[in-house]
Amino acid sequence: MTILAAEAFGLQPLWIILVAVLWIGFFVLEGFDFGVAMLVPFLGKGEKGKDDQARRVVINTIGPHWDGNEVWLLTAGGATFAAFPAWYATLFSGLYLPLFLVLVGLILRGVAFEYRSKREAPQWRYTWDWLMAIGSFIPALVLGVGFAWFLAGIPVGMAPAAFGNEAVFVAGGLDQWNLLLVVLTNVFALVGGLLFVALFLAHGAYFVALKTRGAVHDRAQEYGSTLGLVAAVLMLIFVVWGNLRMGPNGVLGVPWFPGEGATDLFGLLAWVVGILALAGLCFAWWMNSKKRDGWAFIGTTIATAMLVVMIFLHMNTGLGFADKTLIDMTSAASSNHTLTLMTIAAVCLVPVVLAYTAWSYFFVFRRRLNTVSIPALTVNTQN
Amino acid sequence: MSPDTIARWQFGITTVYHFLFVPLTIALSVLTAVLQTIWNKTGNDAYLRLTKFFGRLFLINFAMGVVTGIVQEFQFGMNWSEYSRFVGDIFGAPLALEALIAFFLESTFLGMWIFGWDRLSKKAHLVTIWLGAIGTFISSIFIVAANAWMQNPTGASYNPATQRAELDSLLQVILNPAFLTQWPHTIAASFVTAGGFMAGAAFYLLVKNSKEKAPKGDLTAYRKGLKMGAWVLVIAGVFTIVTGDFLGKQLVTHQPMKMAAAENLKEPLADSAKVGFQIVPKAEVFPGLLNWLYGTKNIQTIDDVKANQIGPNGYRFFDRKAGEWVEGSSLQTTSYSAIQGSLAEANMVPSVGVSFWSFRLMMGIGFLAMLGGIVMLVVTRGGKVPNPGWFWTCLAICMPVLPLLANSFGWIFTEMGRQPWIVNGVMPTLQGLSPTVGTGPVWLSLVLYTAIYGLLAVVEVGLLLKYIKMGLPAAEKVSIKDEGEELSFAY
């Protein structure tokens, strides 16, 4: 136990890394299923009368996985709550309206997956198809805006809180409507939102290509070629802008070594992983044009993971807030006792979760789908 | 309305709604797994068809539980940020562990179960539903432990340096008497719900099909489903009563105000050792029954609790056996001087009307559900089937609805009866609110959640009815299929 004590070992950095890993897992996995769901109305355009079959092929590529993928978000949220209660409290109350939008999106898409094929009426199915697309677009966009804003540093200030004490709040407790205005005028954050959407669309297209055969597969490759390009351009803008604007003199400041002390190394690393993210995306696009579905998907996987790493490197110990003197890794953390117990649980359980998730992806559901795999155009009477 | 009132309404609506799906998820997953196990052991196709029939209904329900559950985890930070900041050191861990241990297990293996009929061997496929069911159980442990801690905050103390509650002893949190009494009660009630659901659907189909020329195999299968559901309901009902008794006695000790409000004890008692039970307010029957139920010779009225629950060191417990007031948990006593702001709220009383009636409705409706189960068993005994008619249709519909209502009233009582506290004896609800969100955004989310949840409820009930009316799916040979072959299940 004492070896794990925070003073000696530094459990707060470990938990930042763990939270980052959970977000990487979430964006890599849910990223493609956001993309797949957004593409359903577009990839599912078959010959007349055949488009429902095609749509079902697309949806079924993520059928067994979407729910498990979403748990990464719940775990990231839960881990933040448990390890950094002040981070959770400040962030979630501060971003009330954006998070509400994310939740509405997630509700709609989850129900849409389960219910769209439960009735035969085309109108029923088309309604759910669009709800799953929109319900995936909204969280992708909002989370992208949010993470770009974390990179830049969300403004914080003190405001009155419980028991007559003061606590840290986003923008010092600025009201939600004005906060929305602040976000909507932050061009960098908006670029982040678009990047997440484009990246996930490409990631999703490559996943569909990897998991299907026939017309759906070919169409996914075609879409992937355009989407990959758009995502790469946005990634280039985001990586260069994101890393430059951290310089002490603003956009044209010294780009290579932003900040001071330890952040020098972090700034350099951020450039490295940012370039890796861009390279991953270019590689994915290239592999897709060579019809190597698996490699293309690996490319966007690397791009997504590296993008999140880059953002977390900039967040550093400040948790995505602009003022480390008000809130940072140390002041937001739980007690050593709690962190120690949580660490033991995480060390024991995360490998188990990874093992059975991998089994599900790489063994049970390794096969590609085709329109012939999908039962005829009737309601599933056979569960 | 004040910001805290809107936020409380939102939490109440979203939580009660979420918990309509949870008990079915917990217990119907187990019952479906049992059906599939019987099929694996006996090879009797009736059980395969029942497994698929109830499995399908289970999944329609499960989807709603999943999507409404995400709101629950986020809501603490969004609407109750100061609560989260104050208790996160203790309260955050169960939520994180619930996601890490339970939700991953549940979602991954239920995904494998749904889509794995022709991709996994019979044995492996059976294991997936059991792992999914275990996941739902683990989830219930963590979330009820978290709630129990709000009712009776054990194993923690106040740290003045960080101005928050911090964990002292995980063991004390796990061995919290509130948790040890609440969890079995919740699980037993979940089985009442799932049993009622299963019995109601099977009973409806049995009665409806008995006079038509339904295949005999169908009727036999419905009868098996009905028997299993009704017996689960009745037996789980007995467990719910027994665990409810333990829970009531625990509440008398740790939340005496909640119980005084539940029993409408507003007036001074003539004899605190001979208090009867009020079926409706002031209509007291059986003098001494309350003393017997709560295991104390000294029943405390609301005024008694007000006069005694705050001692020199803070919040106090009522030792029901000794009939005396004793010091509360370490958090309730050590923190008290630091949170003097709560003193003004300490003597507030929860809504007596809500506590009294939700408590009685919970019990009364629960008893009615058990009675319904017994009636169904009696009228179908020895191979008999009643003639179709509106009465039997109503009974079939009531079987899942009554336990769901009883569950909701139980939670409304649990949460409303804890007021004015968000953490009993430590943090008033008002202090836990996010102070900066404002009324506008919460109004917006409250209205939209309610509208979306309302629409989804219509859709969900429509689908459940449609798939119940379709009856048992045909028996199909289950085998592992190759790529390029048609799958037996797809979205």
Side-chain angles (χ1 to χ4, degrees):
Chain A
M1 288 295 232
T2 45
I3 308 170
L4 281 170
E7 293 91 344
F9 213 71
L11 284 180
Q12 292 106 337
L14 180 74
W15 273 90
I16 297 230
I17 293 168
L18 249 161
V19 169
V21 166
L22 291 168
W23 280 109
I24 291 169
F26 173 68
F27 283 124
V28 164
L29 296 170
E30 185 97 331
F32 71 72
D33 83 46
F34 278 153
V36 171
M38 282 189 270
L39 287 168
V40 163
F42 305 99
L43 286 181
K45 270 190 187 135
E47 318 138 48
K48 215 170 164 61
K50 284 266 185 188
D51 52 353
D52 187 61
Q53 287 280 87
R55 287 177 179 211
R56 291 180 64 194
V57 170
V58 177
I59 295 166
N60 276 286
T61 59
I62 53 168
H65 305 302
W66 72 267
D67 188 11
N69 294 347
E70 215 153 282
V71 175
W72 288 84
L73 174 69
L74 283 165
T75 313
T80 309
F81 194 176
F84 304 100
W87 186 7
Y88 173 79
T90 302
L91 190 69
F92 279 52
S93 65
L95 305 185
Y96 188 87
L97 286 176
L99 280 172
F100 173 63
L101 279 175
V102 170
L103 291 173
V104 169
L106 294 179
I107 291 172
L108 293 179
R109 75 191 292 271
V111 176
F113 291 134
E114 295 290 341
Y115 289 175
R116 67 88 63 194
S117 296
K118 293 273 187 282
R119 284 186 195 277
E120 281 182 67
Q123 199 52 49
W124 168 273
R125 295 191 169 187
Y126 275 56
T127 307
W128 287 118
D129 288 346
W130 278 103
L131 284 176
M132 77 175 68
I134 295 165
S136 304
F137 169 75
I138 295 172
L141 181 75
V142 175
L143 290 171
V145 171
F147 272 77
W149 210 19
F150 297 165
L151 185 157
I154 296 180
V156 281
M158 304 298 281
F163 301 129
N165 297 324
E166 285 210 315
V168 188
F169 292 95
V170 167
L174 184 69
D175 78 86
Q176 288 288 321
W177 312 111
N178 279 317
L179 204 64
L180 220 53
L181 219 65
V182 173
V183 185
L184 291 176
T185 50
N186 186 333
V187 182
F188 177 70
L190 296 182
V191 170
L194 293 179
L195 168 65
F196 271 52
V197 172
L199 177 64
F200 295 158
L201 279 168
H203 198 32
Y206 300 149
F207 184 76
V208 173
L210 176 64
K211 298 298 287 184
T212 56
R213 289 191 200 288
V216 174
H217 167 262
D218 297 345
R219 205 168 310 124
Q221 274 187 346
E222 277 169 43
Y223 270 81
S225 135
T226 317
L227 291 168
L229 215 56
V230 174
V233 170
L234 285 165
M235 183 72 93
L236 177 69
I237 298 172
F238 188 86
V239 167
V240 173
W241 192 354
N243 283 325
L244 281 177
R245 78 193 302 279
M246 293 302 289
N249 302 321
V251 178
L252 296 174
V254 185
W256 309 108
F257 298 102
E260 305 153 35
T263 51
D264 289 0
L265 179 66
F266 281 80
L268 184 64
L269 277 175
W271 272 108
V272 173
V273 295
I275 288 163
L276 279 177
L278 186 61
L281 208 44
C282 296
F283 175 75
W285 182 81
W286 182 45
M287 283 294 118
N288 181 61
S289 67
K290 287 197 163 293
K291 309 207 182 302
R292 302 291 298 269
D293 302 329
W295 286 108
F297 181 70
I298 289 174
T300 43
T301 299
I302 292 170
T304 309
M306 288 302 121
L307 175 64
V308 182
V309 173
M310 183 184 120
I311 292 168
F312 267 86
L313 282 169
H314 281 295
M315 286 162 66
N316 200 329
T317 57
L319 310 174
F321 298 115
D323 191 344
K324 285 188 196 180
T325 58
L326 293 185
I327 180 167
D328 74 346
M329 165 179 97
T330 315
S331 64
S334 279
S335 63
N336 292 338
H337 187 179
T338 296
L339 285 180
T340 307
L341 292 172
M342 290 289 299
T343 305
I344 294 168
V347 167
C348 299
L349 295 166
V350 171
V352 179
V353 171
L354 288 176
Y356 65 68
T357 305
W359 186 59
S360 167
Y361 274 97
F362 298 120
F363 183 76
V364 182
F365 300 109
R366 66 187 178 282
R367 289 182 185 144
R368 289 179 188 245
L369 294 174
N370 197 343
T371 39
V372 297
S373 335
I374 304 296
L377 188 84
T378 52
V379 169
N380 311 294
T381 49
Q382 305 306 309
N383 181 351
Chain B
M1 266 196 263
S2 61
D4 70 302
T5 312
I6 311 167
R8 280 177 62 191
W9 268 105
Q10 178 173 306
F11 200 89
I13 288 172
T14 53
T15 309
V16 167
Y17 191 76
H18 176 60
F19 206 79
L20 294 176
F21 309 104
V22 172
L24 273 180
T25 301
I26 292 173
L28 201 54
S29 63
V30 174
L31 297 187
T32 309
V34 168
L35 285 170
Q36 193 172 339
T37 309
I38 300 176
W39 171 62
N40 267 31
K41 293 265 183 247
T42 63
N44 183 344
D45 270 348
Y47 287 101
L48 172 63
R49 298 173 71 198
L50 284 168
T51 305
K52 290 201 166 190
F53 177 74
F54 285 110
R56 198 165 57 196
L57 299 174
F58 163 72
L59 291 173
I60 292 172
N61 171 76
F62 179 65
M64 292 290 287
V66 169
V67 298
T68 54
I70 310 172
V71 176
Q72 295 309 104
E73 196 201 60
F74 279 42
Q75 209 164 186
F76 293 113
M78 290 168 71
N79 294 87
W80 303 97
S81 69
E82 297 326 289
Y83 165 75
S84 305
R85 210 186 294 273
F86 188 75
V87 304
D89 196 68
I90 305 113
F91 192 84
L95 295 200
L97 293 175
E98 184 187 22
L100 184 62
I101 303 177
F103 293 160
F104 272 121
L105 200 67
E106 205 175 326
S107 59
T108 310
F109 285 98
L110 285 178
M112 282 193 215
W113 183 70
I114 304 170
F115 291 89
W117 281 99
D118 28 33
R119 282 160 167 142
L120 288 165
S121 73
K122 231 169 127 177
K123 262 197 191 141
H125 189 251
L126 180 64
V127 171
T128 60
I129 180 93
W130 276 110
L131 286 174
I134 291 170
T136 66
F137 256 74
I138 299 174
S139 161
S140 73
I141 291 175
F142 283 118
I143 202 63
V144 175
N147 178 270
W149 188 83
M150 297 167 80
Q151 314 289 345
N152 183 32
T154 52
S157 55
Y158 181 76
N159 181 347
T162 53
Q163 296 176 341
R164 68 179 181 195
E166 291 186 359
L167 182 70
D168 284 337
S169 156
L170 181 67
L171 198 68
Q172 274 190 49
V173 173
I174 296 168
L175 296 179
N176 185 350
F179 167 65
L180 296 179
T181 48
Q182 258 181 278
W183 185 72
H185 191 58
T186 312
I187 291 296
S190 299
F191 275 94
V192 171
T193 315
F197 182 84
M198 191 172 229
F203 181 73
Y204 167 77
L205 288 165
L206 178 68
V207 173
K208 184 182 139 205
N209 288 313
S210 62
K211 293 290 174 273
E212 291 166 22
K213 287 209 171 87
K216 193 152 178 295
D218 284 20
L219 296 181
T220 319
Y222 292 138
R223 194 174 287 278
K224 285 183 200 298
L226 163 64
K227 283 248 162 82
M228 178 167 163
W231 277 111
V232 166
L233 183 157
V234 173
I235 294 167
V238 174
F239 274 98
T240 311
I241 295 168
V242 173
T243 51
D245 178 59
F246 291 138
L247 179 51
K249 290 189 166 78
Q250 181 270 122
L251 289 173
V252 169
T253 302
H254 298 107
Q255 295 180 284
M257 181 64 95
K258 186 188 266 184
M259 289 319 282
E263 302 297 356
N264 189 35
L265 299 172
K266 284 191 256 189
E267 319 284 330
L269 299 171
D271 180 357
S272 68
K274 272 200 165 40
V275 185
F277 183 82
Q278 302 176 36
I279 294 171
V280 293
K282 295 187 181 171
E284 213 175 294
V285 291
F286 304 123
L289 178 62
L290 224 49
N291 299 78
W292 180 73
L293 281 175
Y294 297 142
T296 178
K297 291 198 171 72
N298 190 8
I299 293 285
Q300 301 287 298
T301 64
I302 290 171
D303 286 337
D304 293 337
V305 178
K306 270 170 123 172
N308 292 301
Q309 69 172 351
I310 305 298
N313 296 322
Y315 187 84
R316 298 204 291 183
F317 294 153
F318 179 68
D319 182 338
R320 62 185 171 87
K321 280 182 185 151
E324 288 167 1
W325 289 83
V326 294
E327 285 220 336
S329 74
S330 53
L331 183 63
Q332 287 161 333
T333 47
T334 58
S335 67
Y336 209 74
S337 59
I339 51 172
Q340 288 292 322
S342 340
L343 267 176
E345 274 123 316
N347 275 339
M348 277 169 53
V349 180
S351 162
V352 177
V354 171
S355 304
F356 180 85
W357 283 113
S358 57
F359 188 49
R360 270 152 192 75
L361 286 168
M362 169 188 78
M363 292 189 291
I365 294 174
F367 290 138
L368 262 184
M370 284 175 73
L371 184 67
I374 293 167
V375 168
M376 287 197 303
L377 283 173
V378 169
V379 297
T380 58
R381 76 189 184 284
K384 280 193 285 193
V385 187
N387 286 321
W390 64 268
F391 179 79
W392 301 119
T393 311
C394 281
L395 180 66
I397 293 170
C398 283
M399 290 328 293
V401 172
L402 291 177
L404 287 175
L405 282 174
N407 289 333
S408 302
F409 283 121
W411 278 111
I412 289 169
F413 168 57
T414 303
E415 297 300 283
M416 296 282 286
R418 191 189 59 229
Q419 303 304 325
W421 305 102
I422 192 165
V423 181
N424 192 39
V426 177
M427 187 181 219
T429 306
L430 198 60
Q431 302 284 337
L433 194 71
S434 300
T436 59
V437 174
T439 46
V442 187
W443 263 120
L444 180 75
S445 58
L446 169 63
V447 170
L448 283 177
Y449 277 136
T450 310
I452 294 172
Y453 280 12
L455 282 173
L456 289 181
V458 174
V459 170
E460 207 243 1
V461 170
L463 281 178
L464 283 177
L465 291 178
K466 173 192 156 103
Y467 278 84
I468 288 172
K469 282 179 186 159
M470 273 165 54
L472 287 180
E476 208 188 51
K477 201 170 173 295
V478 177
S479 62
I480 295 184
K481 299 214 175 83
D482 276 330
E483 189 174 322
E485 279 185 87
E486 189 173 291
L487 299 167
S488 68
F489 181 87
Y491 275 145

